[in-house]
Amino acid sequence: MHVAIPLYPRFTALDAVGPYTVLAFAPDSTVTFVAAEPGPVTDDRGTLTLIATASYADVPRPDVIVVPGGPGTMDALSDEALLGWIRQAHEHTRWTTSVCSGSLLLGAAGLLSGLKATSHWAILDHLERFGATPVSERVVGSGKIVTAAGVSAGIDMALTLLAQARDEVTAQAVQLAIEYDPQPPFNCGSPKTAPEGLAERALSVIT
């Protein structure tokens, strides 16, 4: 199984690295970071850089695409090299997926029309502009398109894919190996449970 994760300036690191860590543990799995040209791509904090080891042209037919989100998504919506690669590679994938605002890039590539999809809570309604039906869930599957909500949900999505690609025992073993046992200290990981006024402060952190 060949997984391709496209990188673009100001992506959110965990959107890419979370699914990478899960899927890279899968037996007979290869994960490649791709970009318009091979080389370093810096995240939304400006302090972490990942290396794209291949160009889009080098990986035309991956089995799985995982499109990360981040503040750079809005600029990337006009990146035709990226959108064109998503569009063309999607024709050959087993799964085409996104994390957080990466779903907007799937929409801009024309892949979400008439489908249910999710994204980060702050931009969930933006999916409507691409003809999608926004759904406030951690992971949403619509055929071979799978979208995950904000950032940490990418790990949930990757484990879900791994269970389907291999089997549940393999996915469970990977979950245990990375000790993914969420027990957050605060019950505020969703706008539904966050204290009043916290959403505005959260938005100021990520914008």
Side-chain angles (χ1 to χ4, degrees):
M1 182 171 68
H2 191 178
V3 181
I5 303 178
L7 301 177
Y8 53 89
R10 301 179 67 219
F11 69 95
T12 293
L14 188 59
D15 286 7
V17 175
Y20 160 79
T21 300
V22 171
L23 297 173
F25 274 108
D28 302 317
S29 176
T30 300
V31 183
T32 303
F33 289 109
V34 300
E37 298 292 339
V41 185
T42 303
D43 79 334
D44 56 1
R45 300 297 91 191
T47 53
L48 186 147
T49 298
L50 297 182
I51 303 296
T53 57
S55 69
Y56 300 141
D58 293 331
V59 188
R61 295 189 176 190
D63 300 301
V64 182
I65 298 170
V66 180
V67 181
T73 299
M74 296 308 171
D75 289 337
L77 289 174
S78 58
D79 183 347
E80 189 50 45
L82 172 58
L83 299 181
W85 176 78
I86 293 172
R87 196 178 297 121
Q88 293 171 20
H90 171 69
E91 297 179 5
H92 310 283
T93 60
R94 179 173 180 182
W95 289 294
T96 299
T97 77
S98 65
V99 183
C100 195
S101 59
S103 57
L104 300 185
L105 293 169
L106 299 188
L111 305 185
L112 296 185
S113 181
L115 301 181
K116 294 181 179 179
T118 193
S119 193
H120 190 281
W121 55 266
I123 60 164
L124 186 60
D125 291 345
H126 291 202
L127 288 168
E128 293 179 343
R129 65 188 277 203
F130 301 110
T133 300
V135 179
S136 182
E137 295 179 8
R138 291 282 283 178
V139 179
V140 175
S142 294
K144 72 173 188 173
I145 293 181
V146 184
T147 54
V151 191
S152 64
I155 298 174
D156 296 6
M157 181 186 72
L159 288 167
T160 299
L161 294 182
L162 183 54
Q164 295 182 41
R166 298 292 183 249
D167 53 70
E168 287 193 3
V169 174
T170 298
Q172 290 169 351
V174 169
Q175 180 175 344
L176 180 57
I178 65 174
E179 200 168 349
Y180 181 54
D181 184 25
Q183 299 177 37
F186 310 109
N187 185 27
C188 60
S190 163
K192 299 173 184 176
T193 58
E196 185 177 353
L198 193 62
E200 290 74 14
R201 184 164 185 175
L203 289 175
S204 72
V205 171
I206 60 176
T207 55

